[in-house]
Each structure stands twice: as structure tokens, then as C-alpha cells.
Amino acid sequence: MSRSYAIIGAGALGCYYGSRLEKAGCAVHYLMRSDYPYVSKHGLRVESMHGEVVLNTPSVYDDMAALPPCDVALVTMKSTSNAALPALLPPALKDDGVVLVLQNGLGVERQAAGIVGEERVIGGLCFLCSNRIGPGHVRQTRVDRLMLGEFATRGVSPRMRTIGADFERGQVTVSLSEDIGLARWQKLVWNVPYNGLCAVLDADTTMIMSNPATASLVVDLMHEVTSAAEAVGGYRIGESFVQKMLDDTAGMDAYQPSMLIDRREGRPMEVEAIHGEPVRSAEAAGYPVPKMRMLYEQLCLVDRLCD
């Protein structure tokens, strides 16, 4: 049976995954704001490492009331917009539908769980380099991995396998995590130092790593994150994982993380989900994270100044 998907927040991430699901033969409906007038007339173009997808007549909406209830609702908007979820999620879902939260940070599934129930929420982590380069035009250049995990339970559920198979038919590399909490802390090993330092210093990853002082600070922050993960959840993230994050970054071009792009474009940054929540969780567990705390407080100031 072909499943239907609602894309809640059809920016670069949502449009990219929507296009892959359409390639897999799924029915996809996009809730779109700024690009709606253009895409409704001219269609959607997605360039990627898998080739180009042109959707001449995608199912796009600027009104949630018009979007049909779907089997799966993908939350792909930034966590800074989550206050809108109570109005968006219930009409997006069939009675037995599930929510897949594809957002950065820690604890981002909780708000969706409070609206539709914990048992109807799956968490997802995206490892993807994609950008919106014009109205209705998205470009994905490298890395295309998606990790799924149940929010309320551990283990790999049948519905995770089913949804994962849809993405795999669209050529997305999918892994199924038995513990989404561990996966989120692992992603924070990269996101905390690079998203945070790039946004505070208005610098890309190459600039950060070419300076010995900031390169050293990246490593220190990564180690604080791994120690916090063990203090909070008992998760052991080894040194080999830290080294892999450093090696992966070294293999990138001068990459601009999402928080740096948000700062430069004058949008709210995902400070609380990516930095505030890990800091508060670590400190509540009795583990001080001074460098993470300092970076978080700097980001709060930058975010206010850019507002």
C-alpha cells in the first residue's frame, strides 16, 4: 500500500525529502508558506546527488485546512516555529497516522508527543547538505542519510521499517536506531561546536578549523557533549566517533551550518533545541558543561541582536 505524507514546513529539507518520497511512488502534500505562490504556478525543482527531480504540479498548500489527512506527517520546519504545531498536526493526520519529527536538537519530539500522544511519534535525524537557492528551487550536494527511532519506546518497530523502506525506494540511505536518545546526542557532537561557533563567529567550518584556537575549542566542546551524554543518558560515545566527526568535516568544502545561514538571513536560530536543552539536561544531571554553557549564552545574545 502506498502511504501518504504531509510535509509540515516545506523548506529545503522538506522539499528534498518530499521529492524523494514522490520518486518512491508515495503521495506527498506540502504545506508551504513563502514559496507557495511560485510553486503553485511553476512547480518545484530539486537538484541532488541522485539527479534532478522536477515536479510540475506538486500538491502544495498554504492553508492547513485544505491539506488532506495523511498517514505520516513529517515535521521539517525549524524548531523555532514549533509553537504552531498544535494547529498544524491534528488536521494533517489520519486517525491512525504518525508524526515523524525531522528536527535538530534534543527533546524536539516532546511537543508533538504532547499533541498527538507519545505512541504516535517517531524521531528522525537528517544528515543532509541542502539549501534553498531560489523560489521553488532546492539543491542537495552531498551526504544523504536519515536515521529513524521510536520516541516512546526502544527497539525497531514495524512502522519504522515500513517508513524507512519508503525513503529507501527514493534512494535515501536509512538506518533504524534502537535508541533515538543516543542518536540525538551523537548528532550534537557535531552540531554543538560547529553550528554554535560558526553562528557566533560568523564563519564557515573551514575558517573555524583553520584557526588553531577555534579548532581546539571544537574538540573541547565535542568532549563536553560526549561526557554530558553519559551523565544524562548513560550513553558512551567513544573517541573514534569524535574523530569521525572531525574527519567528516575536514572532507567538506567551506560549509555553512544552518544556524550560520539563519543568522546571516536574519532568522531566529535554533538556540534552545541545539544548545539550551543539552546544557540544561547536563546541569540537571549534576554535570557542569562550562564551555557549552558559555557558547549557549553567547548564542542567546547573538540571536537577540539579530532579531
Side-chain angles (χ1 to χ4, degrees), residues 1-7 17-30 55 59 70-72 74 162-170:
M1 182 188 73
S2 177
R3 274 156 297 283
S4 56
Y5 287 81
I7 308 295
Y17 282 128
S19 73
R20 302 322 306 171
L21 288 166
E22 294 215 41
K23 286 287 287 183
C26 300
V28 182
H29 305 278
Y30 303 81
L55 304 173
S59 298
C70 294
D71 297 302
V72 184
L74 269 62
T162 298
I163 293 170
D166 285 343
F167 281 97
E168 286 179 330
R169 285 200 308 277

Side-chain angles (χ1 to χ4, degrees), residues 266-278:
R267 297 191 297 250
M269 299 186 297
E270 295 183 285
V271 175
E272 292 304 325
I274 297 177
H275 293 84
E277 190 63 22

Side-chain angles (χ1 to χ4, degrees), residues 58-242:
S59 298
V60 295
Y61 308 82
D62 63 352
D63 181 359
M64 194 69 236
L67 192 150
C70 294
D71 297 302
V72 184
L74 269 62
V75 178
T76 54
M77 62 189 187
K78 296 286 181 67
S79 60
T80 51
S81 298
N82 277 2
L85 286 179
L88 298 177
L89 284 183
L93 288 174
K94 294 180 179 179
D95 291 342
D96 59 349
V98 299
V99 178
L100 174 54
V101 180
L102 299 181
Q103 293 180 323
N104 277 322
L106 193 65
V108 290
E109 296 91 355
R110 289 191 200 119
Q111 191 159 5
I115 299 166
V116 303
E118 291 186 354
E119 72 285 352
R120 298 179 70 188
V121 175
I122 298 173
L125 290 90
C126 309
F127 303 86
L128 183 73
C129 296
S130 64
N131 296 104
R132 174 185 175 276
I133 61 174
H137 189 181
V138 171
R139 178 175 294 155
Q140 181 265 342
T141 54
R142 71 178 78 82
V143 188
D144 183 10
R145 293 188 292 114
L146 178 64
M147 181 178 290
L148 306 179
E150 290 286 348
F151 172 63
T153 60
R154 294 190 179 187
V156 175
S157 65
R159 66 185 184 183
M160 282 169 57
R161 295 187 190 278
T162 298
I163 293 170
D166 285 343
F167 281 97
E168 286 179 330
R169 285 200 308 277
Q171 297 178 284
V172 177
T173 300
V174 177
S175 59
L176 305 179
S177 174
E178 295 190 354
D179 189 341
I180 196 66
L182 170 60
R184 288 211 172 273
W185 277 105
Q186 287 175 324
K187 192 170 184 185
L188 287 169
V189 173
W190 193 94
N191 266 333
V192 166
Y194 286 115
N195 252 308
L197 289 174
C198 288
V200 164
L201 298 173
D202 194 18
D204 59 44
T205 54
T206 297
M207 295 169 67
I208 294 293
M209 297 309 290
S210 64
N211 179 277
T214 50
S216 178
L217 184 54
V218 165
V219 175
D220 290 345
L221 284 163
M222 286 185 173
H223 287 145
E224 269 197 3
V225 173
T226 60
S227 297
E230 185 166 6
V232 173
Y235 303 124
R236 294 190 176 182
I237 303 173
E239 187 63 29
S240 61
F241 187 87
V242 170

Side-chain angles (χ1 to χ4, degrees), residues 269 271-272 295-305:
M269 299 186 297
V271 175
E272 292 304 325
L295 182 57
Y296 166 56
E297 291 175 352
Q298 290 171 336
L299 285 163
C300 288
L301 176 59
V302 171
D303 203 31
R304 286 197 297 271
L305 292 175

Side-chain angles (χ1 to χ4, degrees), residues 256-279:
Q256 298 181 36
S258 61
M259 286 178 66
L260 173 59
I261 294 172
D262 287 341
R263 174 187 174 167
R264 289 179 171 176
E265 296 190 2
R267 297 191 297 250
M269 299 186 297
E270 295 183 285
V271 175
E272 292 304 325
I274 297 177
H275 293 84
E277 190 63 22
V279 166

